[in-house]
Amino acid sequence: MTKLDAKIPEGPLKDKWTNFKNNCRLVNPANKRSIDVIVVGTGLAGGSAAASLAEMGYNVKAFCFQDSARRAHSIAAQGGINAAKNYQNDGDSTYRLFYDTVKGGDYRSREANVYRLAEVSANIIDQCVAQGVPFAREYGGLLDNRSFGGVQVQRTFYAKGQTGQQLLLGAYSALSRQVGKGKIAMYSRHEMMELVVVDGKARGIIARNLVTGEIQRHSAHAVLICSGGYGNVFYLSTNAMGSNGSAAWKIHKKGAYFANPCYNQIHPTCLPRTSEHQSKLTLMSESLRNDGRIWVPKKMEDVEAIRSGAKKPKDLPAEDRDYYLERRYPAFGNLVPRDVASRAAKERCDAGFGVNKTGEAVFLDFASAIERYGKEKALQEGEDTNNMALVRELGKEVVKAKYGNLFQMYEKITDDNPYETPMKIYPAIHYTMGGIWVDYNLMTTIPGCYALGEANFSDHGANRLGASALMQGLADGYFVIPYTIGDYLADDIRTGEIPTDTKEFDEAEKEVRDRIEKLMNNKGSKSVDSLHRRLGKIMWEYCGMARNEEGLKTAIKEIRALREEFWNDVFIPGKADGLNPELEKACRVADFMELGELMCVDALNRTESCGGHFREESQTEEGEAMRNDKDFTFVSAWEYTGDPSEAKLHKEELKYENIELKTRSYK
Amino acid sequence: MKLNLRIWRQDGPNDSGRLENYTVENVSPDESFLEMLDELNEKLVSEGKEPVAFDHDCREGICGMCSMFINGEAHGPDRAITTCQLHMRRFKDGDTITIEPWRAAAFPVIKDLVVDRTAFDRIIQAGGFVSVNTSGNTIDANALPINKADADNAFDAATCIGCGACVATCKNSSAMLFVSAKVSQLALLPQGKVERQERVLNMVEKMDEEGFGNCSNTGACEVECPKEISLDNIARMNREYLKASLSSEK
């Protein structure tokens, strides 16, 4: 087993990043002009990286499969972004953000990376405000904050329920400015199909123009993969329809290790699935748990009455409701971390208390918040605080100002008015903590190939806290890669342009052409979606919220059979030399069919429970996740050897020098 | 429900298109409009036919990718939503639904219901930003207090998703609502004030160059905008533009 070198700088934790910046090699401005960088994906990580690197003087080529860089799925992030500003004077600090993130990640993330993340978090807010990002403000004109799961301070900055949109549009505007200056060549409606490795270094990609079908060669001195997570392995998730794991999977097959693929986040507050035709699941922001209380009825007869419509949830008296998060976790209540909240919902629904027809839903209730805010407002306005009709009206206004767009979204989908009746929610796949293994510099095991944002594995351990994904994406792109990439590219100042008429490009292009040809000429009988849906079912059944040895073994067997069926029987209409959404989907699903297997292999190997990875064999008597620090305080980094089940495991031991490993408790 | 669909099919930008008829059966009122089209497409694929190409991605009303003209209205009959948020309960058994792409000279059709909206990107590239580089040295975010009303108005303008419904709706194919939303956001905030004159001049110039029409104040864009971007932004942009053209050296 080879040892993975994370290249963590020397020195005390709080000095590591400063030491690195003081000692890393630089590329002078004249030399930057002769260096090309490819950025795949234009979400928060890719957009911010492309903009920053272009501002520094590198020639950037940015790729996205959407029709515009502004549409990357970061845009859908709702609740907020964390930063250790301590504007609320509630005891926050860089160390506390670091500590919360490591603890929230169930002690499976890398200390040095997380500390750096906490350290640069404050700069992100300053940077975004300077760009004109309209964060929520108080009447004094200063920035407002709210609280998120797993923490006891208010450090989350937000822009209503559209924080991701506003941050992404900030990065997109910075990127657009560089496109206008000619420093970024923007390739929208293009998909990366293959990585090109020359003499062991990442030197380019093969891309497909999704409009014309043209296969293109693009060379560069470094390639950044900022393509997001792989939650769509599950078919139904909160990801966008086009979100995919292909760029990550392609570099994995070319030598980049894949770390902790089994760490998936199941978000507790999503709209429940209703039927077969469903194409995706919609998230309701975690910020709603600031004001919403989660419950199911205590008595089975009430469950049945609610399901049949004989009783309305709001008519159920408080003593007949089980606010199970408040009951089980009094210290954090409804704001426990996502993995804990999701499992608690599953536990109640498995016990038969689910409140909708499928038995897979719990209530998220705003009635008490509406009353509380209404009374405050009535008091401020000198109105009668005992006039409950008025109080509720005023309270609804406050709630609308905070979460209006989320409530509207809920009503559009379900035809229920959440101001009047509690929302019904259930956990769904949302985010993938696992991803491409990177060292401290965000470089993968392929020199010159980097992974940023959700595509890498490094900062969230086995569970990500709310409002931390936006923070990580922007930290990686705005503040980390601009330093770390120079340290590598300093060797490339004399390299000159990388030619694309070499055998490495020939071979990579041929692989792509062969793959497309095989798919197009398959003449099978099944649609891509029908096969993808079946993959999703296997994954959700055996590799979802609870996993066990037998199930995972079954899943691996079933996925392998399904993959064979896919290659034998998938049917793709149309032609490859033009816009063909079925072909695009097929290329992505083909990769999911392999990645899903590796996820199960990893889940099978990790016999402990930690964060979002819950092995039924490893739980306490109360049903809480039980870690095994003695045997599993490491990162599983898998090397591709030709078959996901034969992947070779490399371990990066995790050392905790600044935090004591404890049983995570939110009670 | 059983529905009759008339869908615009066009092979490529240079081909002529036509409306084709399809029927879909067993449509549930709880499914979304795009899920109904997914089902049609699965059926077409199973018959060996080419499915209908349409843009979509997040399916929660925020990415701005989906773009359908449904029964003569951008994003269909409901207000304040995108196509992906439209649900079939809005229709009834036996209805005929006509689905067309955005139609504007500046948004050429790529295929079927998919259009090219990169003109919007080029307008932003012309000035839709604050010229600030990434650095760890910008001033502390709270060193610049911003009046809440201005911040809220800037936010409302900034919620534009760039879908192009305003252009598709406007009889002149004007992009004024889109451009004015960005101009307003940055003109309302102190960070954007330094470049406000060049910004509005450059963005308007690019908008004209891309072939978008002029605004004749019918207000249809505001009605069809899924994010309810206000017509006030156009008024604000006109003021900004007038001031800039009188005083700018450009």
Side-chain angles (χ1 to χ4, degrees):
Chain A
M1 194 177 301
T2 47
K3 270 200 114 174
L4 285 165
D5 180 7
K7 302 206 176 106
I8 297 166
E10 294 299 315
L13 185 64
K14 67 179 179 36
D15 298 332
K16 284 181 192 297
W17 181 230
T18 309
N19 287 347
F20 177 88
K21 288 193 288 184
N22 289 343
N23 296 309
C24 69
R25 294 181 302 165
L26 303 174
V27 178
N28 87 16
N31 287 329
K32 285 197 189 101
R33 287 196 287 271
S34 57
I35 291 183
D36 306 321
V37 180
I38 284 173
V39 180
V40 179
T42 58
L44 287 181
S48 60
S52 302
L53 296 176
E55 286 162 8
M56 293 164 74
Y58 296 109
N59 306 309
V60 176
K61 284 182 169 186
F63 294 80
C64 69
F65 70 79
Q66 299 90 346
D67 75 328
S68 166
R70 66 180 292 153
R71 307 203 201 281
H73 197 51
S74 306
I75 202 144
Q78 298 169 352
I81 176 166
N82 288 329
K85 280 283 198 188
N86 195 27
Y87 283 161
Q88 304 303 324
N89 193 26
D90 53 5
D92 203 7
S93 65
T94 301
Y95 182 83
R96 199 172 282 277
L97 174 53
F98 156 75
Y99 176 85
D100 286 344
T101 307
V102 172
K103 178 187 171 192
D106 217 355
Y107 305 94
R108 290 293 175 264
S109 49
R110 192 190 283 151
E111 270 196 343
N113 285 54
V114 178
Y115 195 87
R116 175 178 63 190
L117 176 67
E119 210 177 333
V120 303
S121 65
N123 286 343
I124 298 172
I125 303 303
D126 299 342
Q127 179 69 27
C128 293
V129 166
Q131 288 171 344
V133 170
F135 284 118
R137 287 177 186 269
E138 295 169 341
Y139 283 98
L142 302 181
L143 294 163
D144 194 16
N145 291 110
R146 59 188 174 199
S147 196
F148 257 61
V151 302
Q152 288 173 313
V153 295
Q154 292 190 61
R155 64 161 74 101
T156 306
F157 295 79
Y158 67 100
K160 275 199 187 163
Q162 284 131 287
T163 319
Q165 180 198 27
Q166 294 309 317
L167 294 174
L168 183 64
L169 292 181
Y172 163 75
S173 72
L175 174 141
S176 296
R177 175 171 159 244
Q178 297 303 317
V179 176
K181 286 180 166 184
K183 286 305 291 179
I184 297 179
M186 186 64 229
Y187 294 86
S188 55
R189 292 197 195 267
H190 277 66
E191 184 141 4
M192 168 182 157
M193 304 298 289
E194 199 55 81
L195 180 77
V196 182
V197 179
V198 181
D199 297 332
K201 291 178 174 174
R203 290 302 199 190
I205 63 168
I206 305 295
R208 179 167 180 269
N209 178 330
L210 300 180
V211 175
T212 64
E214 184 196 359
I215 306 294
Q216 305 165 340
R217 301 175 180 202
H218 296 277
S219 69
H221 299 85
V223 176
L224 275 51
I225 302 299
C226 314
S227 53
Y230 47 88
N232 269 348
V233 167
F234 291 85
Y235 186 72
L236 285 178
S237 80
T238 66
N239 286 188
M241 302 304 286
S243 299
N244 66 83
S246 285
W249 192 249
K250 287 294 181 297
I251 67 167
H252 172 58
K253 290 175 90 168
K254 286 271 156 109
Y257 295 177
F258 211 113
N260 303 331
C262 80
Y263 290 168
N264 318 124
Q265 177 157 80
I266 300 189
H267 197 294
T269 53
C270 302
L271 300 192
R273 60 198 70 202
T274 51
S275 68
E276 274 299 301
H277 55 68
Q278 200 142 353
S279 58
K280 76 159 272 161
L281 297 169
T282 303
L283 175 81
M284 287 287 118
S285 168
E286 177 158 318
S287 61
L288 294 172
R289 286 198 275 143
N290 272 287
D291 288 314
R293 296 177 71 195
I294 295 178
W295 63 277
V296 292
K298 271 186 190 159
K299 298 183 208 144
M300 195 53 82
E301 69 219 46
D302 288 333
V303 171
E304 278 152 20
I306 284 173
R307 279 187 198 166
S308 69
K311 263 190 190 172
K312 287 197 172 138
K314 67 174 178 182
D315 297 334
L316 211 62
E319 63 270 20
D320 289 337
R321 299 176 178 195
D322 177 13
Y323 293 97
Y324 57 86
L325 289 176
E326 297 169 29
R327 167 171 60 81
R328 286 177 66 180
Y329 309 100
F332 283 70
N334 291 294
L335 279 174
V336 290
R338 293 173 176 179
D339 54 337
V340 178
S342 291
R343 274 198 294 279
K346 182 178 190 302
E347 190 275 330
R348 283 293 80 195
C349 291
D350 286 353
F353 290 90
V355 295
N356 68 350
K357 286 193 183 109
T358 63
E360 289 194 334
V362 300
F363 288 127
L364 176 62
D365 195 338
F366 295 89
S368 359
I370 287 174
E371 263 183 40
R372 190 176 73 242
Y373 285 128
K375 281 198 169 152
E376 277 174 24
K377 191 101 189 263
L379 200 66
Q380 279 168 11
E381 295 181 357
E383 302 280 358
D384 178 8
T385 52
N386 293 319
N387 178 348
M388 287 318 287
L390 176 75
V391 163
R392 267 194 286 273
E393 273 322 299
L394 292 172
K396 278 179 206 166
E397 279 171 33
V398 178
V399 168
K400 188 174 181 194
K402 285 182 165 227
Y403 312 113
N405 70 317
L406 301 172
F407 277 50
Q408 184 232 21
M409 191 153 67
Y410 182 86
E411 187 172 358
K412 284 294 167 195
I413 296 171
T414 62
D415 212 18
D416 263 350
N417 178 356
Y419 294 101
E420 300 296 340
T421 185
M423 288 184 178
K424 286 179 198 152
I425 51 154
Y426 197 68
I429 289 287
H430 178 53
Y431 185 90
T432 51
M433 283 74 67
I436 295 296
W437 186 89
V438 291
D439 62 17
Y440 187 76
N441 301 337
L442 306 182
M443 201 196 283
T444 68
T445 45
I446 303 172
C449 182
Y450 293 79
L452 280 66
E454 190 180 351
N456 76 25
F457 87 102
S458 68
D459 294 356
H460 306 298
N463 173 58
R464 179 174 66 75
L465 290 181
S468 284
L470 302 185
M471 171 172 70
Q472 188 220 340
L474 290 179
D476 286 0
Y478 282 138
F479 295 113
V480 178
I481 197 74
Y483 287 96
T484 59
I485 203 170
D487 196 54
Y488 170 79
L489 291 173
D491 284 334
D492 265 326
I493 56 175
R494 289 195 190 81
T495 308
E497 202 178 329
I498 308 292
T500 56
D501 55 352
T502 56
K503 69 171 194 322
E504 290 86 355
F505 275 91
D506 290 346
E507 281 162 14
E509 183 178 328
K510 185 168 181 306
E511 277 176 57
V512 173
R513 287 189 185 280
D514 289 350
R515 191 161 62 234
I516 290 174
E517 203 169 314
K518 183 160 172 21
L519 286 167
M520 293 306 300
N521 295 333
N522 209 30
K523 305 286 174 252
S525 66
K526 299 200 172 80
S527 72
V528 179
D529 282 348
S530 67
L531 293 158
H532 190 183
R533 215 175 280 131
R534 283 165 61 195
L535 173 67
K537 278 195 180 142
I538 300 172
M539 294 301 296
W540 182 249
E541 173 78 22
Y542 301 113
C543 199
M545 268 193 282
R547 301 149 176 192
N548 61 51
E549 183 180 341
E550 196 195 332
L552 289 164
K553 285 182 173 162
T554 309
I556 292 170
K557 219 182 293 165
E558 290 186 7
I559 293 168
R560 294 180 73 88
L562 185 65
R563 185 163 71 227
E564 205 179 306
E565 189 180 335
F566 173 88
W567 283 106
N568 287 330
D569 204 18
V570 71
F571 169 64
I572 308 191
K575 296 188 293 256
D577 61 353
L579 186 71
N580 189 338
E582 292 296 309
L583 175 61
E584 294 165 30
K585 282 191 283 189
C587 290
R588 296 167 190 160
V589 172
D591 292 331
F592 282 146
M593 294 269 176
E594 296 176 2
L595 175 52
E597 184 179 343
L598 185 67
M599 289 162 70
C600 295
V601 168
D602 187 41
L604 187 61
N605 181 66
R606 190 168 286 271
T607 54
E608 65 161 353
S609 293
C610 61
H613 169 63
F614 187 71
R615 278 292 295 262
E616 286 169 349
E617 300 91 334
S618 181
Q619 54 179 310
T620 64
E621 275 170 25
E622 299 104 56
E624 302 289 344
M626 199 163 69
R627 281 198 333 257
N628 172 355
D629 291 336
K630 186 165 93 33
D631 300 316
F632 285 100
T633 311
F634 63 81
V635 175
S636 303
W638 298 92
E639 179 185 359
Y640 186 74
T641 59
D643 183 330
S645 278
E646 305 295 321
K648 189 172 159 199
L649 177 64
H650 301 265
K651 293 178 183 175
E652 179 196 341
E653 298 297 333
L654 291 168
K655 292 191 194 72
Y656 291 94
E657 290 161 351
N658 299 276
I659 281 186
E660 184 195 349
L661 268 75
K662 283 194 208 147
T663 300
R664 201 166 56 131
S665 168
Y666 294 94
K667 285 184 190 281
Chain B
M1 283 192 279
K2 183 179 172 185
L3 299 161
N4 306 306
L5 306 175
R6 296 169 69 227
I7 303 180
W8 185 260
R9 302 299 307 256
Q10 182 172 338
D11 295 337
N14 303 318
D15 299 300
S16 56
R18 67 274 161 204
L19 282 166
E20 284 188 13
N21 295 306
Y22 303 92
T23 44
V24 278
E25 287 173 42
N26 301 321
V27 176
S28 147
D30 286 331
E31 65 191 89
S32 74
F33 196 81
L34 297 186
E35 283 164 354
M36 180 272 294
L37 285 180
D38 288 344
E39 284 176 11
L40 169 69
N41 277 346
E42 278 226 52
K43 193 175 116 198
L44 292 175
V45 172
S46 72
E47 292 163 2
K49 295 183 188 144
E50 251 201 89
V52 180
F54 61 89
D55 268 333
H56 64 106
D57 201 26
C58 78
R59 296 207 178 185
E60 46 191 79
I62 194 73
C63 76
M65 193 106 174
C66 62
S67 45
M68 288 183 200
F69 220 64
I70 301 164
N71 286 344
E73 286 186 87
H75 296 304
D78 277 358
R79 296 287 162 260
I81 56 160
T82 54
T83 304
C84 65
Q85 293 175 293
L86 178 63
H87 278 67
M88 296 314 292
R89 62 180 82 94
R90 197 66 179 70
F91 300 91
K92 55 183 193 304
D93 190 43
D95 275 359
T96 297
I97 307 174
T98 306
I99 311 171
E100 296 169 89
W102 285 172
R103 297 199 188 276
F107 289 166
V109 171
I110 293 174
K111 185 177 183 176
D112 298 341
L113 304 170
V114 178
V115 299
D116 178 354
R117 285 170 289 190
T118 48
F120 270 9
D121 286 325
R122 289 188 291 274
I123 294 173
I124 298 294
Q125 288 153 19
F129 46 76
V130 174
S131 294
V132 54
N133 279 3
T134 304
S135 75
N137 308 320
T138 42
I139 57 167
D140 183 86
N142 260 354
L144 188 72
I146 299 173
N147 174 295
K148 184 166 166 59
D150 285 342
D152 287 350
N153 284 333
F155 172 82
D156 287 342
T159 56
C160 167
I161 56 174
C163 64
C166 47
V167 174
T169 300
C170 178
K171 60 179 177 162
N172 310 319
S173 300
S174 169
M176 291 279 271
L177 195 64
F178 168 78
V179 180
S180 68
K182 187 51 75 180
V183 166
S184 287
Q185 178 203 342
L186 297 176
L188 283 162
L189 296 172
Q191 302 93 308
K193 292 226 153 77
V194 178
E195 298 167 282
R196 66 196 294 181
Q197 294 194 341
E198 304 91 274
R199 178 180 305 115
V200 68
L201 294 176
N202 291 339
M203 289 180 76
V204 168
E205 186 187 339
K206 181 52 98 178
M207 171 180 88
D208 290 343
E209 193 186 306
E210 292 288 347
F212 292 103
N214 240 314
C215 173
S216 47
N217 273 313
T218 62
C221 53
E222 182 188 55
V223 175
E224 292 293 345
C225 173
K227 296 295 148 183
E228 302 179 291
I229 302 291
S230 162
L231 214 53
D232 294 352
N233 291 303
I234 296 186
R236 189 179 291 108
M237 179 166 85
N238 284 335
R239 284 200 301 277
E240 288 285 317
Y241 186 80
L242 187 63
K243 270 192 278 183
S245 33
L246 290 175
S247 58
S248 166
E249 288 168 10
K250 195 179 164 182

